[in-house]
Amino acid sequence: MENRIEEKLPQIVEDRLQEAYRMIRKGEVKQMRKKRYLYKWAGTAAVCAVIVTASAGALAAAAYFQKEARREADRITYEFHINYDLVPGEYQVEPGYLPEGYQDQGAGKYYGEDGLGISVMPIYTTTELDKADGRIDISDIEDVEHTTLSGMEADIITFQEAKKYQMPTYIFLFNEAEGYVLEIISQYTVGKEELLKFADNLTVKRTGDGAYETEEERSKREQEEASAEAQALKGQKTWEALQKSGIPENKIYDIGEEVKSYDGSFGYTVMEAAFLDGIGGFDEKDFFDFSRFDGWLNEDGTLKPYTRLHYDKNMELLGEEQTEQEILRVDMKVHCYSSSVFEEAPLDFSLQYVEKRADGSYTWASDEYSSVPEEHYSLQIDNSAVYLNGSTHTEGEDRKAYFFRQMEEGEEFFYTLLFVVDQDRKQDFLLQPVSGNSSLNQIEDETISQICDQLDGYIRLK
């Protein structure tokens, strides 16, 4: 639920960052081509050019490593030949310059008021390079600029269609004499001049000694990684089997039928639903964030089209087109059966896109759609509601709980939700509680039968 998730968000973000760091250390650095980071495995290509920055032969006594960089068409691979005779170090980075308005958020993150900025990733010591098998791969690149920053050899890496996809800029700084590689990731909104000034005013201090993994430690880590990969594969197979089996018919409800939360605390009924041309007649104050509509409304309250990207299940881009939008109005009733489990009733719903099969059954859609990042379109974030009348959480920080309401046992509340829907996908979704159907998140741990049994259910608007 939104307000509960808000409390846990920092830990969730940290977990995702740690997973990203782990993948980076394994040399699996990939790039984002839509709203989420999509890891696209590139096939082997013929090497077009090889840039040798140092001999792969005997390492100089004063160097912790020597580096080779191989550039393919849209890919660069760094290989490091490590001098194991030198003791690895641990290091701390301190910036001497921050762009105006940026604040140190801790953990190497320096952000402005928009929540975007520059991140100094955990340092590649020779210990970490060893764990990554001495290799860093980056794909989908557009250009690599070689320069010197903070007294170190540096590569500035930009990515294909960076403006359209709001791609970040990567900077790698290589210090062979002291034994580390710095990686800086800068969001697209950061100007190049400011980024280079930041990267050219860094101080790196050695804070202690590190140690290479023992054979026992390496074996344990590799077993853990193999186990995690096996779990992920198991989850993928379960998801594919779920899609094949489809959404159980007894978990699909129609207008006028009540859907209960899995724990039985609340029951939801769609009273009526209709598509509208625009938002005329609805009060601005009842929209969760009316600023999202900036630039997307015509004078008569109808919505302007946006540029939509269509991906298949493998996240391969299938098409790009201008897409017309409409408003979906849903009149709801919620009944509180018990107020002992949750402090407040969750009121938000979202659109679960589905595929209708020849036999009339439904399964979860496999294709994905998103907007072009350059347009800064955000009306369909998570396919959830943009409007709720009667919210009791409307001021300041309390607005985070906008879609929640205090209810007493036996109480009923009638309310209206508005959704933004693509005109050509009006028949392609079911409604679901935003806080419901959480068993779908257990594909690595539960069977198909368990997952289906624990679904709250979906509502069909026909």
Side-chain angles (χ1 to χ4, degrees), residues 225-238 443-445:
E225 291 175 351
S227 177
E229 290 172 0
Q231 278 291 97
L233 180 59
K234 176 184 176 183
Q236 179 62 30
K237 289 182 177 179
T238 300
I443 58 175
E444 294 180 2
D445 304 309

Side-chain angles (χ1 to χ4, degrees), residues 249-274:
E249 181 61 30
N250 67 342
K251 294 294 184 178
I252 299 177
Y253 300 80
D254 291 312
I255 293 176
E257 296 180 338
E258 185 182 56
V259 178
K260 283 189 176 181
S261 56
Y262 183 71
D263 65 359
S265 296
F266 303 101
Y268 302 90
T269 307
V270 171
M271 310 301 294
E272 188 177 354

Side-chain angles (χ1 to χ4, degrees), residues 37 54 122 171 207 230 234 276 285 386 404 417 458:
Y37 279 93
I171 298 179
T207 59
K234 176 184 176 183
L276 311 173
K285 69 179 179 59
V386 297
F404 292 82
L417 297 174
Y458 302 89

Side-chain angles (χ1 to χ4, degrees), residues 430-443:
L430 304 173
L431 276 183
Q432 68 169 347
V434 164
S435 57
N437 296 326
S438 59
S439 62
L440 292 174
N441 299 325
Q442 307 302 318
I443 58 175

